[in-house]
Amino acid sequence: MNNYIARKKFVNLIKEENQEIDYKNLYLLKHHIMESCRIIPNRISGVSAQQQRRLTESIKLARFLALLPYTDQQQQR
Amino acid sequence: MQEIKLQHYEIVFLINPDKSANVQDIIQRYESLVKEGGGVMHRLENWGNRPLAYPIKNLSRAIYILMNIECGKKTLDEVFNSFRYSNEIIRNLILRRDFAITEPSNMIEKQERMEETSGVVTAESSTEINE
């Protein structure tokens, strides 16, 4: 699916800006989720497997704390 | 006298903004809980009244508190029980850490960065108590 679309350049914030992978680091986490609030796979983002695992864990923690949404379909009342 | 093995924990909890008359009282309760158990509070942050990404218990905002403590298991159990039976605290997260963290977290720095760039002073002031 995604292989047929030309790859956009994805900036690796962890390497270049030395961002820490932490559930509190929303600047980094928001960079790794799509508009639909799904986690970007590392074959698109180019992040290493170990970093992707830690990112996924942090995103899921941030979602639990309502710092990030689970989906864009949820509406605030 | 048994030696209490102290371990480091990072705790984030969310307070219902309508029900909490005084956030300081709640924070003091936990500070004294930790001290009585012979623990140390390394970092305490109040991220203020933040909007939630999705409604929790029909609320759209909540007060976030971050604590980094070093305490024994019994004290942690007391803290966790108080979260469970509290009416004001709607969500909590307890993480094990290997060492004490005392630097201000990203959330406080981000607010300061946003204030600088936008030039608008936010009404909520982020309080930071380091012990």
Side-chain angles (χ1 to χ4, degrees), chain A residues 19-20 22-27 30 61-71 74-77, chain B residues 10 12 14 43 47 50 52-56 58 60 64 66 91-93 95 97 105-107 110:
Chain A
Q19 294 282 338
E20 210 184 297
D22 189 25
Y23 67 91
K24 300 188 283 288
N25 192 352
L26 295 186
Y27 169 65
K30 281 186 183 172
L61 282 177
R63 283 175 177 171
F64 173 69
L65 287 175
L67 298 168
L68 287 178
Y70 282 94
T71 165
Q74 281 169 320
Q75 296 288 328
Q76 294 278 353
R77 283 199 202 173
Chain B
E10 185 165 316
V12 183
L14 274 57
R43 168 167 74 167
W47 298 344
R50 293 189 90 239
L52 300 176
Y54 51 88
I56 300 177
N58 299 330
S60 51
Y64 282 74
L66 167 72
R91 198 160 276 194
N92 66 290
L93 175 71
L95 299 172
R97 292 293 185 213
S105 68
N106 303 76
M107 309 297 286
K110 186 189 174 192

Side-chain angles (χ1 to χ4, degrees), chain B residues 37-99:
Chain B
V40 183
M41 182 155 323
H42 291 287
R43 168 167 74 167
L44 177 61
E45 278 181 19
N46 182 351
W47 298 344
N49 207 349
R50 293 189 90 239
L52 300 176
Y54 51 88
I56 300 177
K57 296 207 168 176
N58 299 330
L59 299 168
S60 51
R61 298 183 79 96
I63 301 173
Y64 282 74
I65 310 276
L66 167 72
M67 294 198 307
N68 269 83
I69 63 177
E70 184 181 353
C71 65
K73 188 177 185 297
K74 274 190 186 169
T75 318
L76 189 74
D77 287 344
E78 281 173 29
V79 170
F80 182 61
N81 279 330
S82 70
F83 286 151
R84 279 183 68 194
Y85 298 118
S86 158
N87 290 327
E88 303 109 12
I89 295 179
I90 52 178
R91 198 160 276 194
N92 66 290
L93 175 71
I94 302 179
L95 299 172
R96 259 284 293 281
R97 292 293 185 213
D98 297 327
F99 44 82

